[in-house]
């Protein structure tokens, strides 16, 4: 019997029952135009990971960029920060499936084996057990794609070149979509957050691989992606931005959200 990583934040970050969850994700995806971006369909996306009432619309805007690839995408590489467990390097789960109220997602064994050859990658369920940055993406993926496998990677203190090298080994072809989960600034005033996020977004768009945790909680993943983007002569495009003061929070202490797409030169 397959080992299961059970949903940890269902009912907290997103609805806990399947019907309500499907309806909310459908609404978030339906709130944006299901059309390709200016540069063609992306190879990778950067998406936020807060509760859906806060950042769901920005995540929906990102996923809408791959709306017409429903039957094409078969593998998802998903990386995001380990918020609750200190981790040196990167961790893939021992669990064979991830569960949400919408059902099970199978962990891709082949992709997992590829990244485990890297010195900074370990196999451990502990960083994944309560981690929301990866889990909140799964209902979107389950609603978007008919049949896919998943490589979930929790990130700790890893260098941009190390993350880029791991991503390069699972980059794949048009059947593989790479996702980096990250929010932007945390707990600044509304106006201060907008200024900080403006600078952070400008850095992401120029493939700057030196972001800090103050700029983005998923800076390790973003830096790895932008480092690889430079190697592959890829371009990153902004899709949408806002902060929690624009959605469901007050404006005294806000969290910033941004969505981005990466496009290879041949796309």
């Amino acid at each position: 019997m397959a080992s299961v990583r059970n949903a940890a934040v269902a009912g907290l970050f997103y609805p806990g029952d399947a019907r309500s969850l499907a309806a909310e994700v459908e609404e978030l995806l339906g709130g944006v135009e299901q059309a390709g971006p200016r540069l063609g369909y992306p190879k990778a996306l950067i998406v936020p990971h807060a509760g859906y009432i806060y950042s769901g619309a920005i995540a929906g805007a990102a996923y809408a960029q791959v709306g017409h690839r429903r039957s094409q995408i078969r593998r998802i590489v998903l990386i995001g920060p380990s918020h609750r467990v200190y981790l040196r390097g990167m961790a893939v789960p021992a669990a064979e499936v991830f569960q949400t109220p919408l059902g099970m997602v199978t962990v891709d064994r082949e992709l997992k084996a590829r990244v485990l050859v890297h010195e900074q990658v370990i196999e451990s369920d502990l960083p994944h057990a309560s981690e929301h940055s990866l889990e909140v993406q799964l209902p979107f993926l389950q609603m978007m794609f008919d049949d896919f496998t998943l490589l979930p990677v929790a990130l700790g203190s890893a260098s941009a070149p190390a993350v880029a090298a791991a991503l390069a080994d699972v980059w794949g072809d048009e059947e593989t979509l790479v996702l980096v989960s990250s929010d932007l600034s945390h707990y600044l005033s509304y106006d201060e957050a907008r200024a900080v996020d403006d600078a952070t977004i400008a850095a992401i768009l120029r493939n700057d691989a030196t972001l800090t945790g103050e700029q983005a909680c998923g800076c390790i993943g973003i830096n790895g992606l932008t480092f690889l983007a430079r190697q592959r002569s890829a371009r990153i495009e902004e899709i949408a931005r806002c902060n929690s003061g624009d959605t469901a929070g007050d404006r005294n202490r806000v969290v910033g959200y941004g969505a981005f797409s990466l496009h290879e030169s041949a796309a």
Side-chain angles (χ1 to χ4, degrees):
M1 196 171 178
S3 56
V4 178
R5 187 274 189 188
N6 294 312
V9 295
L12 297 172
F13 280 66
Y14 60 82
D17 69 279
R19 181 175 295 182
S20 298
L21 176 56
E24 181 160 346
V25 173
E26 187 173 8
E27 182 179 357
L28 290 170
L29 291 171
V32 291
E33 184 180 354
Q34 297 277 321
R38 291 185 293 108
L39 301 179
Y41 293 116
K43 175 62 182 176
L45 297 171
I46 300 172
V47 288
H49 56 234
Y52 287 3
I53 63 169
Y54 297 105
S55 67
I58 301 298
Y63 286 117
Q65 306 298 297
V66 291
H68 292 300
R69 298 179 64 194
R70 185 181 190 98
S71 60
Q72 184 184 44
I73 292 173
R74 288 287 178 261
R75 285 174 153 175
I76 308 288
V77 175
L78 172 59
I79 68 174
S82 176
H83 284 89
R84 295 170 178 81
V85 175
Y86 175 74
L87 174 64
R88 293 185 66 184
M90 299 163 265
V92 293
E96 297 170 285
V97 295
F98 275 40
Q99 182 182 42
T100 80
L102 298 181
M104 303 284 197
V105 178
T106 302
V107 174
D108 193 301
R109 285 199 223 170
E110 181 185 346
L111 295 185
K112 178 177 164 181
R114 288 186 203 171
V115 295
L116 277 170
V117 303
H118 291 265
E119 184 179 352
Q120 291 195 33
V121 181
I122 64 169
E123 182 182 66
S124 175
D125 283 328
L126 187 59
H128 290 274
S130 300
E131 183 52 56
H132 69 276
S133 70
L134 305 181
E135 180 182 329
V136 298
Q137 311 303 337
L138 300 186
F140 281 99
L141 300 175
Q142 288 171 300
M143 292 289 289
M144 287 286 296
F145 303 114
D146 295 324
D147 183 25
F148 67 94
T149 56
L150 177 75
L151 177 66
V153 185
L155 304 177
S157 57
S159 67
V163 175
L167 284 178
D169 278 352
V170 293
W171 195 250
D173 55 18
E174 66 275 2
E175 292 187 347
T176 304
L177 176 67
V178 175
L179 300 175
V180 177
S181 180
S182 181
D183 295 335
L184 298 178
S185 64
H186 282 59
Y187 311 132
L188 303 175
S189 68
Y190 183 85
D191 290 336
E192 186 179 6
R194 289 189 64 178
V196 170
D197 291 343
D198 283 348
T200 299
I201 289 167
I204 292 171
L205 297 182
R206 64 175 181 264
N207 287 347
D208 185 338
T210 63
L211 297 188
T212 68
E214 287 72 32
Q215 293 171 286
C217 62
C219 61
I220 302 297
I222 296 175
N223 288 341
L225 184 69
T226 53
F227 190 93
L228 185 59
R230 286 197 173 200
Q231 292 181 324
R232 299 181 69 91
S233 299
R235 177 176 171 182
I236 294 178
E237 177 183 37
E238 181 184 356
I239 300 168
R241 72 173 84 179
C242 77
N243 65 49
S244 57
D246 299 311
T247 53
D250 66 50
R251 295 195 168 190
N252 296 317
R253 295 176 78 242
V254 307
V255 177
Y257 313 117
F260 308 85
S261 54
L262 179 145
H263 307 264
E264 303 212 69
S265 57

